[in-house]
């Protein structure tokens, strides 16, 4: 029995008009997301960075560099928060700023070789762990069916609510629209 099955009766007693099956789905998806976040936290901690810094590094690498303003927009963060992340990543030798722009918000940052190596190692670790966890439960057909059904649900929600964030955003920014 999972934690949702254990708790659902108590919740439903407080909200009898709610659709129990929908509530179970919503709770399971949320808990799965938080557990996958725990994997990210563990992998980041093993590399002595935060998940938030790993997320910022991911955006920088996937974009082949970016400005602090672009990073803030992509992650939905304030310029002050982005400045702190850039400072930590620079001090760790994982990114470097490019000269030229007088305004630091317009000065591009790029991953260093060490940043690329850390990101590649952490990402390979993440994909191995997640694959092991998921493939221990689902065969190819089961996983394909779940992905198909979740894709339909996500498309419907995005149609009604707009696109979800493209990046995993740790902490307070994750709840922003």
């Amino acid at each position: 029995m999972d934690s949702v099955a254990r708790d659902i009766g108590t919740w439903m007693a407080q909200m009898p008009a709610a659709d129990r099956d929908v509530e179970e789905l919503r709770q399971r998806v949320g808990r799965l997301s938080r557990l996958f976040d725990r994997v990210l936290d563990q992998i980041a901690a093993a590399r002595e960075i935060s998940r938030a810094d790993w997320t910022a590094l991911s955006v920088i690498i996937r974009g082949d560099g970016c400005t602090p303003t672009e990073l803030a927009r992509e992650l939905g963060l304030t310029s002050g928060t982005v400045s702190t992340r850039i400072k930590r990543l620079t001090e760790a030798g994982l990114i470097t700023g490019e000269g030229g722009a007088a305004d630091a918000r317009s000065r591009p940052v790029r991953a260093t070789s060490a940043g690329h190596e850390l990101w590649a190692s952490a990402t390979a670790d993440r994909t191995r762990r997640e694959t092991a966890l998921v493939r221990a439960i689902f065969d190819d057909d089961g996983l394909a069916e779940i992905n198909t059904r979740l894709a339909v649900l996500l498309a419907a929600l995005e149609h009604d609510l707009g696109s979800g964030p493209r990046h995993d955003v740790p902490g307070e920014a994750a709840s922003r629209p």
Side-chain angles (χ1 to χ4, degrees), residues 27-107:
Q27 290 295 330
R28 283 192 176 97
V29 168
R31 288 183 187 196
L32 285 166
S33 178
R34 290 186 293 278
L35 288 169
F36 278 119
D37 285 348
R38 191 176 295 167
V39 170
L40 296 175
D41 288 335
Q42 291 170 353
I43 292 168
R47 286 163 177 78
E48 299 179 353
I49 64 169
S50 69
R51 179 168 41 108
D53 288 344
W54 183 11
T55 300
L57 183 60
S58 294
V59 171
I60 293 165
I61 287 175
R62 290 176 182 154
D64 194 26
C66 64
T67 66
T69 298
E70 292 166 338
L71 186 60
R73 184 174 36 250
E74 188 68 29
L75 296 177
L77 300 173
T78 66
S79 61
T81 301
V82 167
S83 293
T84 300
R85 296 227 176 115
I86 287 174
K87 181 179 179 192
R88 283 195 308 254
L89 291 168
T90 301
E91 289 172 354
L94 301 174
I95 65 170
T96 186
E98 296 179 3
D103 183 351
R105 294 171 296 181
S106 302
R107 191 173 307 129

Side-chain angles (χ1 to χ4, degrees), residues 11 27 59 65 67 72 82 84-85 97 99 107 110 114 117 119 122-123 132-133 135 141 156 161 163 172:
W11 301 333
Q27 290 295 330
V59 171
T67 66
V82 167
T84 300
R85 296 227 176 115
R107 191 173 307 129
R110 295 204 183 288
E117 288 172 18
W119 180 85
T123 300
L133 290 165
R135 292 289 182 179
D141 292 339
L161 303 171
S163 293
E172 72 287 346

Side-chain angles (χ1 to χ4, degrees), residues 96-135:
T96 186
E98 296 179 3
D103 183 351
R105 294 171 296 181
S106 302
R107 191 173 307 129
V109 293
R110 295 204 183 288
T112 63
S113 294
H116 278 281
E117 288 172 18
L118 182 139
W119 180 85
S121 168
T123 300
D125 217 5
R126 175 191 65 80
T127 59
R128 271 191 302 274
R129 288 192 60 195
E130 290 171 347
T131 297
L133 290 165
V134 171
R135 292 289 182 179

